[in-house]
Amino acid sequence: MNQHPSYVELNHARREIRLLTILYDDDDYLVRCMTRKISLDDCQNFNALSYCWGDPGVTAPIMVDYHVMCVTVNLEKVLRQLRRSAQLGEIWVDAICINQADISEKNHQVPLMRHIYSASNVFVWLGESDDHSDEFIRIMKKRRNEAISNPSDREGSDIVAYMISLSINLVMKPWWERTWTVQELYLAKTVVFMCGTHTFPQSDVDAWF
């Protein structure tokens, strides 16, 4: 994976990390991002991305600090989705915010991940959606709203069986098999799941399952 050449050195004593701002653009343009340094001691509320890197041999270009950088296709897709949110704010993305070519920096940054995710609102990218996951998410949200308005309502066996069949593709996504999934999920202040163009809070998932 090619790295852009303009990383500014981090101050390890101050527990500095880089945060990413995804610039809002038309979908036809390359994803463009800017980075800045912050200290974890000074900044206690930001976003972080939890995702699967994907095949490192299959990449797509983005712009970071005015330099072209190649990232995995899976990462480029989620950055493109996040770009649609003008209110996103800054986000920590390991493949970009850590200089992957600098072993010393990587050795310092990896132990900070626990602190990064505990200070963050985490966006979980499950990957692209399909017809089954689209339908599952649609019904999940609908039933969640109905449960709020009518707490005594019980799911019938037919809809439960149908929902389980629809959810298989969603729960078989590679993200669930990652080593760091549990840490990133449970340390987070809040969690928002993303699947294709859909977003839904962890509370929706918890309420269903």
Side-chain angles (χ1 to χ4, degrees):
M1 188 182 302
N2 297 328
Q3 299 293 329
H4 67 91
S6 61
Y7 281 116
V8 177
E9 186 175 353
L10 298 176
N11 184 331
H12 297 334
R14 297 191 66 244
R15 301 202 307 163
E16 287 186 341
I17 64 172
R18 299 182 186 91
L19 292 180
L20 197 69
T21 297
I22 305 171
L23 303 182
Y24 186 78
D25 266 327
D26 188 278
D27 279 349
D28 292 336
Y29 293 114
L30 288 179
V31 174
R32 297 187 301 125
C33 310
M34 301 296 292
T35 64
R36 78 177 181 102
K37 296 191 305 177
I38 62 104
S39 168
L40 282 174
D41 298 326
D42 300 331
C43 185
Q44 296 299 319
N45 189 27
F46 50 88
N47 302 305
L49 179 65
S50 177
Y51 70 109
C52 288
W53 276 37
D55 187 344
V58 182
T59 62
I62 64 172
M63 295 286 291
V64 180
D65 295 338
Y66 306 108
H67 294 275
V68 175
M69 176 181 182
C70 289
V71 298
T72 61
V73 168
N74 194 48
L75 177 52
E76 194 272 347
K77 287 178 179 178
V78 64
L79 293 176
R80 195 169 285 275
Q81 288 296 328
L82 288 169
R83 181 173 66 177
R84 297 177 178 178
S85 173
Q87 306 302 317
L88 173 66
E90 294 177 306
I91 189 166
W92 185 84
V93 182
D94 59 355
I96 301 174
C97 296
I98 299 175
N99 184 353
Q100 300 298 321
D102 186 333
I103 301 301
S104 175
E105 180 174 305
K106 287 173 67 175
N107 288 340
H108 179 266
Q109 292 284 288
V110 170
L112 291 180
M113 289 176 65
R114 180 178 180 276
H115 303 282
I116 291 170
Y117 282 98
S118 64
S120 302
N121 307 301
V122 174
F123 287 83
V124 173
W125 171 247
L126 297 176
E128 298 282 28
S129 63
D130 54 36
D131 290 344
H132 283 183
S133 57
D134 286 344
E135 180 70 355
F136 172 79
I137 294 168
R138 184 190 69 79
I139 297 175
M140 178 180 66
K141 289 182 175 181
K142 179 175 181 291
R143 298 298 290 179
R144 171 63 169 162
N145 292 335
E146 290 174 353
I148 292 174
S149 61
N150 185 10
S152 63
D153 185 35
R154 296 286 184 177
E155 298 284 358
S157 59
D158 289 344
I159 187 63
V160 170
Y162 180 56
M163 287 288 281
I164 289 173
S165 69
L166 290 177
S167 71
I168 290 175
N169 286 358
L170 195 66
V171 299
M172 293 297 290
K173 297 287 189 183
W175 180 83
W176 300 101
E177 301 173 2
R178 293 175 61 248
T179 302
W180 298 104
T181 293
V182 173
Q183 173 176 279
E184 295 168 0
L185 190 66
Y186 289 102
L187 286 175
K189 289 182 176 179
T190 61
V191 175
V192 175
F193 286 93
M194 302 173 63
C195 185
T197 59
H198 303 284
T199 61
F200 47 97
Q202 184 179 354
S203 58
D204 282 3
V205 180
D206 292 344
W208 169 255
F209 286 103

